[in-house]
Amino acid sequence: MADYPKTTVNTVKRLGKRGAYDYETVHTIINTASVLHVSFNDPEHPFPVILPMLGCTANFEFQDADANSSPQDIYIHGYVSSRLFKSPEKSDGEEGLPITIAATHMDGLVLALAPFHNSCNYRSAIAYGHAALVTSDDERLFAMQRITDNLLPTRWANSRNPPTKVELNQTSILRVKVVSASAKVREGGPSDDRPDLKNEALRKGTWTGVVPVWQQWGEPSPGKDNGCEEVEGYIEEWRLRENQKGKAIAYEAIEKGK
Amino acid sequence: MADYPKTTVNTVKRLGKRGAYDYETVHTIINTASVLHVSFNDPEHPFPVILPMLGCTANFEFQDADANSSPQDIYIHGYVSSRLFKSPEKSDGEEGLPITIAATHMDGLVLALAPFHNSCNYRSAIAYGHAALVTSDDERLFAMQRITDNLLPTRWANSRNPPTKVELNQTSILRVKVVSASAKVREGGPSDDRPDLKNEALRKGTWTGVVPVWQQWGEPSPGKDNGCEEVEGYIEEWRLRENQKGKAIAYEAIEKGK
């Protein structure tokens, strides 16, 4: 089984054919997002909290399990008041804090003859689960390494490690046990109504199609204390590869949906 | 007054000096984000809902009010089950559905000698408010136009308008009355600990600094029904301007925080 079961919580209701539930689609969208939006409730406030945080999927018990085909937890790096984890009634029994994680990639602006048919090409994933603060040093170290290398592959090995005891203690990591998840993907070009398509003056005067978009990583800028003469090869290779990949995905999305 | 009041809901607690509360900062981050993450609670489910949606700030009563200096509502385009708006106890009295909106721009990956000090340059805004479905045709039309032009300036006037009665009825728009909001901005380069900086071998062998990132809009790709020979000038100008602006912001963020 390499799919999240469809339940009332995760089933994509609007435009259901855009929905996907397989591990590969969901985990890839999460692991390639530059930021995750994490939402939970603080009983002291009327509004849900949303925090932009860094994180990725991983499985501490089966560390070599392939994220594309195996169950994963989501590790998130960043501060969430520990008060929210302490009280059982606040944390949904003993399971942890109910939490929702969203990852969204924008792939293009879809322009139609009529604004009503404008759209965006995008890939988004939503995961629902229960979060707990990671307290074991081993698991915290594991998560720090995974999150670091998810941002920039091999950075962990290529920078100072292991972290000091103080650093380890000051790092707050949440482990989210995923209960359900789904993805939604929009591809292709615009789709206009027949009366507009028959309007030759409108068609000739209004460009329709897709303006693709991706994240572009620029020339690295050294910090004031940098002592390394050249940007290391693995950083440049990663950056250029990401730019190519982002661009390719944005253009492929246009063709795929056509 | 061009600031959101600091309250227990919106005050930036972690690294408070990164917080901002002025209309200009908050509204600009929202209006330049390619996607908004919208969170609310559905009493039938244990997890908060997060939806990626399109939207922008505007003020229907004072339509010419400058978003940089005046109070704004947030108009969001997209489907939210109307069930959530119907029951007064579900919607926090008569005020509407409590909703949180997040907009995040990633501006750079900050690489330090130690993974513990890695960071990201970013600009994020969070707005808390009460959402209601817009029911008046005039206001819906106003919001559709604002959201369209916020995606691509002047697209409304340059495509088929006004919408048909059917289109207008099928468009669902939420108006969010903002109760409070704040922004958080991280700029600058890495900041390492003294013992690491004194380690000459580490400093020489580990590149530190910022890899800037921005959204890059590529060459537009015409749709299958496009009848307009060339991509219109306002689209190309917008696209190239956005690319320049995004790149400039990412590089300026590095210098500003130094």
Side-chain angles (χ1 to χ4, degrees):
Chain A
M1 192 204 73
D3 275 30
Y4 287 101
K6 282 172 111 169
T7 67
T8 54
V9 170
N10 73 331
T11 298
V12 174
K13 287 166 206 86
R14 285 281 293 180
L15 304 169
K17 67 187 161 124
R18 293 184 187 166
Y21 303 86
D22 60 287
Y23 288 158
E24 183 171 355
T25 304
V26 172
H27 298 163
T28 301
I29 291 171
I30 291 172
N31 290 330
T32 55
S34 61
V35 65
L36 302 176
H37 284 87
V38 176
S39 179
F40 52 88
N41 283 296
D42 178 342
E44 288 180 16
H45 295 131
F47 305 103
V49 176
I50 307 185
L51 296 174
M53 293 171 100
L54 302 176
C56 64
T57 76
N59 188 323
F60 182 55
E61 266 185 275
F62 304 99
Q63 303 194 0
D64 295 331
D66 178 7
N68 288 341
S69 53
S70 340
Q72 299 272 292
D73 297 329
I74 301 175
Y75 285 93
I76 320 173
H77 175 243
Y79 178 79
V80 171
S81 173
S82 57
R83 171 177 58 80
L84 293 168
F85 297 94
K86 277 180 186 156
S87 155
E89 71 272 17
K90 279 180 190 164
S91 59
D92 198 20
E94 292 305 309
E95 293 175 308
L97 182 73
I99 208 164
T100 306
I101 298 170
T104 307
H105 301 259
M106 187 58 69
D107 294 327
L109 178 58
V110 180
L111 296 170
L113 292 172
F116 180 76
H117 289 291
N118 289 348
S119 184
C120 287
N121 283 341
Y122 65 90
R123 290 160 290 144
S124 74
I126 312 282
Y128 308 90
H130 294 101
L133 283 166
V134 175
T135 51
S136 112
D137 278 357
D138 280 355
E139 189 173 353
R140 199 144 48 186
L141 189 63
F142 165 78
M144 284 172 77
Q145 175 167 359
R146 289 299 178 99
I147 294 169
T148 302
D149 285 342
N150 189 65
L151 280 171
L152 170 52
T154 75
R155 180 64 182 180
W156 184 268
N158 283 296
S159 55
R160 196 263 291 152
N161 72 72
T164 65
K165 189 81 190 156
V166 172
E167 288 173 347
L168 207 52
N169 285 338
Q170 285 184 359
T171 301
S172 71
I173 302 270
L174 297 182
R175 182 202 330 98
V176 180
K177 290 272 169 206
V178 178
V179 172
S180 85
S182 64
K184 204 168 166 181
V185 177
R186 199 278 180 201
E187 297 168 328
S191 166
D192 275 294
D193 286 335
R194 198 169 291 231
D196 287 331
L197 289 172
K198 282 190 181 154
N199 181 338
E200 278 304 310
L202 176 69
R203 274 190 63 221
K204 280 199 173 139
T206 313
W207 187 87
T208 59
V210 180
V211 190
V213 70
W214 62 91
Q215 282 208 310
Q216 180 85 12
W217 295 92
E219 197 81 47
S221 167
K224 64 177 174 17
D225 298 319
N226 174 55
C228 182
E229 264 183 55
E230 278 189 36
V231 182
E232 288 155 279
Y234 74 95
I235 302 177
E236 282 300 86
E237 281 156 29
W238 159 79
R239 178 174 83 82
L240 300 172
R241 196 171 60 232
E242 286 297 304
N243 289 346
Q244 275 182 351
K245 212 162 67 181
K247 186 174 179 178
I249 288 172
Y251 279 100
E252 281 161 19
I254 304 172
E255 298 308 320
K256 268 194 208 168
K258 262 185 184 165
Chain B
M1 192 205 70
D3 273 29
Y4 287 101
K6 282 172 111 169
T7 66
T8 53
V9 170
N10 73 330
T11 298
V12 174
K13 287 166 207 85
R14 285 280 294 178
L15 305 167
K17 68 186 162 126
R18 293 184 186 166
Y21 303 86
D22 59 290
Y23 289 157
E24 185 171 353
T25 303
V26 172
H27 297 162
T28 301
I29 290 171
I30 291 172
N31 289 330
T32 55
S34 60
V35 65
L36 302 176
H37 283 88
V38 176
S39 180
F40 53 87
N41 284 296
D42 178 340
E44 289 180 16
H45 295 133
F47 305 102
V49 177
I50 307 185
L51 296 174
M53 293 171 99
L54 302 174
C56 64
T57 76
N59 187 322
F60 182 55
E61 267 185 275
F62 305 99
Q63 304 194 0
D64 296 330
D66 178 7
N68 288 341
S69 53
S70 343
Q72 299 273 292
D73 297 330
I74 301 175
Y75 286 93
I76 319 173
H77 174 243
Y79 179 77
V80 170
S81 174
S82 58
R83 171 177 59 79
L84 294 168
F85 297 94
K86 278 180 183 157
S87 154
E89 72 273 16
K90 280 181 191 163
S91 58
D92 199 19
E94 292 305 310
E95 293 175 311
L97 181 73
I99 208 163
T100 306
I101 298 170
T104 306
H105 301 259
M106 189 57 70
D107 293 328
L109 178 59
V110 180
L111 296 170
L113 291 172
F116 181 77
H117 289 291
N118 289 347
S119 184
C120 286
N121 283 340
Y122 65 89
R123 291 160 289 142
S124 74
I126 313 282
Y128 308 90
H130 294 100
L133 283 166
V134 175
T135 51
S136 114
D137 278 356
D138 280 355
E139 189 173 353
R140 200 145 45 188
L141 189 65
F142 164 78
M144 283 173 76
Q145 174 165 2
R146 288 300 178 98
I147 293 170
T148 302
D149 285 343
N150 188 65
L151 281 170
L152 170 52
T154 75
R155 180 66 183 181
W156 185 268
N158 284 296
S159 54
R160 194 263 290 153
N161 74 72
T164 65
K165 189 80 189 158
V166 171
E167 287 172 349
L168 207 52
N169 285 338
Q170 285 183 0
T171 301
S172 76
I173 302 270
L174 297 182
R175 184 204 327 94
V176 179
K177 291 273 171 204
V178 178
V179 172
S180 86
S182 65
K184 204 167 166 182
V185 177
R186 200 277 180 201
E187 297 168 328
S191 166
D192 274 294
D193 286 336
R194 199 170 292 228
D196 287 330
L197 289 171
K198 281 190 180 154
N199 180 340
E200 278 303 310
L202 177 69
R203 273 190 63 221
K204 280 198 173 142
T206 313
W207 187 87
T208 60
V210 181
V211 190
V213 69
W214 62 91
Q215 281 207 310
Q216 180 83 13
W217 296 90
E219 197 82 45
S221 166
K224 64 178 173 17
D225 298 318
N226 175 55
C228 182
E229 264 182 58
E230 278 190 36
V231 182
E232 289 156 279
Y234 74 94
I235 301 176
E236 282 299 87
E237 281 157 29
W238 158 79
R239 179 174 82 83
L240 301 172
R241 195 171 61 231
E242 286 298 302
N243 288 346
Q244 274 181 352
K245 212 162 67 182
K247 186 174 178 177
I249 288 172
Y251 279 100
E252 281 161 18
I254 304 173
E255 297 308 320
K256 269 193 206 167
K258 264 186 184 166

